Tab-separated table of all heavy atoms in Angstrom:
chain	number	residue	atom	x	y	z
A	309	LEU	N	-28.617	23.492	-34.913
A	309	LEU	CA	-27.396	23.196	-34.170
A	309	LEU	C	-27.317	21.708	-33.843
A	309	LEU	O	-26.273	21.067	-34.035
A	309	LEU	CB	-27.336	24.015	-32.882
A	309	LEU	CG	-26.215	23.631	-31.912
A	309	LEU	CD1	-24.844	23.813	-32.549
A	309	LEU	CD2	-26.323	24.435	-30.624
A	310	LEU	N	-28.412	21.138	-33.340
A	310	LEU	CA	-28.404	19.722	-32.976
A	310	LEU	C	-28.146	18.848	-34.199
A	310	LEU	O	-27.434	17.842	-34.115
A	310	LEU	CB	-29.731	19.340	-32.314
A	310	LEU	CG	-30.061	20.054	-30.995
A	310	LEU	CD1	-31.350	19.481	-30.407
A	310	LEU	CD2	-28.920	19.962	-29.994
A	311	GLU	N	-28.697	19.248	-35.321
A	311	GLU	CA	-28.477	18.509	-36.565
A	311	GLU	C	-27.000	18.564	-36.968
A	311	GLU	O	-26.407	17.554	-37.366
A	311	GLU	CB	-29.354	19.091	-37.673
A	311	GLU	CG	-29.263	18.345	-38.991
A	311	GLU	CD	-30.169	18.948	-40.062
A	311	GLU	OE1	-31.103	19.689	-39.706
A	311	GLU	OE2	-29.947	18.666	-41.247
A	312	MET	N	-26.390	19.757	-36.849
A	312	MET	CA	-24.980	19.910	-37.202
A	312	MET	C	-24.078	19.065	-36.297
A	312	MET	O	-23.168	18.375	-36.762
A	312	MET	CB	-24.567	21.384	-37.117
A	312	MET	CG	-23.110	21.626	-37.503
A	312	MET	SD	-22.548	23.334	-37.229
A	312	MET	CE	-22.247	23.311	-35.453
A	313	LEU	N	-24.345	19.119	-34.982
A	313	LEU	CA	-23.499	18.380	-34.039
A	313	LEU	C	-23.647	16.875	-34.222
A	313	LEU	O	-22.663	16.131	-34.091
A	313	LEU	CB	-23.833	18.782	-32.604
A	313	LEU	CG	-23.423	20.196	-32.201
A	313	LEU	CD1	-23.837	20.485	-30.770
A	313	LEU	CD2	-21.919	20.405	-32.376
A	314	ASN	N	-24.845	16.413	-34.502
A	314	ASN	CA	-25.030	14.987	-34.753
A	314	ASN	C	-24.244	14.552	-35.980
A	314	ASN	O	-23.602	13.489	-35.987
A	314	ASN	CB	-26.518	14.674	-34.954
A	314	ASN	CG	-26.767	13.193	-35.104
A	314	ASN	OD1	-26.682	12.411	-34.162
A	314	ASN	ND2	-27.081	12.779	-36.326
A	315	GLU	N	-24.237	15.402	-36.993
A	315	GLU	CA	-23.517	15.095	-38.233
A	315	GLU	C	-22.012	15.061	-38.008
A	315	GLU	O	-21.329	14.101	-38.391
A	315	GLU	CB	-23.866	16.133	-39.300
A	315	GLU	CG	-23.138	15.944	-40.617
A	315	GLU	CD	-23.521	17.016	-41.630
A	315	GLU	OE1	-24.566	16.861	-42.285
A	315	GLU	OE2	-22.778	18.016	-41.750
A	316	VAL	N	-21.475	16.096	-37.362
A	316	VAL	CA	-20.029	16.178	-37.200
A	316	VAL	C	-19.530	15.124	-36.219
A	316	VAL	O	-18.462	14.533	-36.411
A	316	VAL	CB	-19.589	17.600	-36.778
A	316	VAL	CG1	-20.063	17.960	-35.384
A	316	VAL	CG2	-18.075	17.746	-36.866
A	317	ALA	N	-20.294	14.850	-35.159
A	317	ALA	CA	-19.871	13.839	-34.187
A	317	ALA	C	-19.956	12.436	-34.784
A	317	ALA	O	-19.118	11.576	-34.494
A	317	ALA	CB	-20.725	13.931	-32.923
A	318	THR	N	-20.964	12.189	-35.614
A	318	THR	CA	-21.107	10.889	-36.270
A	318	THR	C	-19.944	10.623	-37.209
A	318	THR	O	-19.432	9.498	-37.291
A	318	THR	CB	-22.435	10.824	-37.050
A	318	THR	OG1	-23.526	10.965	-36.135
A	318	THR	CG2	-22.568	9.509	-37.809
A	319	ASN	N	-19.509	11.663	-37.927
A	319	ASN	CA	-18.470	11.506	-38.937
A	319	ASN	C	-17.051	11.745	-38.416
A	319	ASN	O	-16.091	11.660	-39.190
A	319	ASN	CB	-18.750	12.454	-40.109
A	319	ASN	CG	-20.041	12.095	-40.831
A	319	ASN	OD1	-20.334	10.922	-41.035
A	319	ASN	ND2	-20.824	13.093	-41.201
A	320	MET	N	-16.913	12.047	-37.123
A	320	MET	CA	-15.588	12.231	-36.540
A	320	MET	C	-14.788	10.937	-36.658
A	320	MET	O	-15.358	9.845	-36.671
A	320	MET	CB	-15.732	12.664	-35.074
A	320	MET	CG	-14.421	12.850	-34.330
A	320	MET	SD	-13.279	14.027	-35.101
A	320	MET	CE	-14.223	15.541	-35.000
A	321	ILE	N	-13.457	11.070	-36.749
A	321	ILE	CA	-12.622	9.872	-36.858
A	321	ILE	C	-12.949	8.921	-35.711
A	321	ILE	O	-13.299	9.347	-34.611
A	321	ILE	CB	-11.121	10.230	-36.888
A	321	ILE	CG1	-10.709	10.978	-35.631
A	321	ILE	CG2	-10.779	11.031	-38.119
A	321	ILE	CD1	-9.218	11.267	-35.577
A	322	SER	N	-12.841	7.638	-35.979
A	322	SER	CA	-13.400	6.608	-35.103
A	322	SER	C	-12.764	6.553	-33.721
A	322	SER	O	-13.348	5.979	-32.799
A	322	SER	CB	-13.269	5.235	-35.769
A	322	SER	OG	-11.894	4.902	-35.965
A	323	THR	N	-11.589	7.135	-33.547
A	323	THR	CA	-10.881	7.042	-32.262
A	323	THR	C	-11.104	8.252	-31.365
A	323	THR	O	-10.518	8.343	-30.288
A	323	THR	CB	-9.374	6.873	-32.508
A	323	THR	OG1	-8.926	7.925	-33.381
A	323	THR	CG2	-9.072	5.517	-33.131
A	324	ILE	N	-11.954	9.201	-31.804
A	324	ILE	CA	-12.294	10.358	-30.967
A	324	ILE	C	-13.811	10.357	-30.788
A	324	ILE	O	-14.564	10.713	-31.697
A	324	ILE	CB	-11.821	11.684	-31.589
A	324	ILE	CG1	-10.313	11.666	-31.792
A	324	ILE	CG2	-12.215	12.861	-30.691
A	324	ILE	CD1	-9.751	12.927	-32.428
A	325	ASN	N	-14.250	9.964	-29.605
A	325	ASN	CA	-15.679	9.776	-29.359
A	325	ASN	C	-16.287	10.814	-28.427
A	325	ASN	O	-17.486	11.080	-28.510
A	325	ASN	CB	-15.911	8.374	-28.798
A	325	ASN	CG	-15.544	7.303	-29.801
A	325	ASN	OD1	-16.161	7.201	-30.853
A	325	ASN	ND2	-14.514	6.518	-29.503
A	326	TYR	N	-15.481	11.371	-27.523
A	326	TYR	CA	-15.981	12.470	-26.677
A	326	TYR	C	-15.351	13.779	-27.134
A	326	TYR	O	-14.123	13.877	-27.315
A	326	TYR	CB	-15.659	12.271	-25.194
A	326	TYR	CG	-15.921	13.563	-24.430
A	326	TYR	CD1	-17.227	14.024	-24.271
A	326	TYR	CD2	-14.875	14.371	-23.977
A	326	TYR	CE1	-17.492	15.231	-23.668
A	326	TYR	CE2	-15.125	15.579	-23.360
A	326	TYR	CZ	-16.433	16.013	-23.205
A	326	TYR	OH	-16.692	17.233	-22.631
Side-chain angles (χ1 to χ4, degrees):
L309 171 61
L310 298 185
E311 183 179 341
M312 181 187 79
L313 290 179
N314 185 72
E315 178 181 277
V316 67
T318 298
N319 295 320
M320 178 56 63
I321 59 176
S322 63
T323 53
I324 301 179
N325 296 296
Y326 168 68

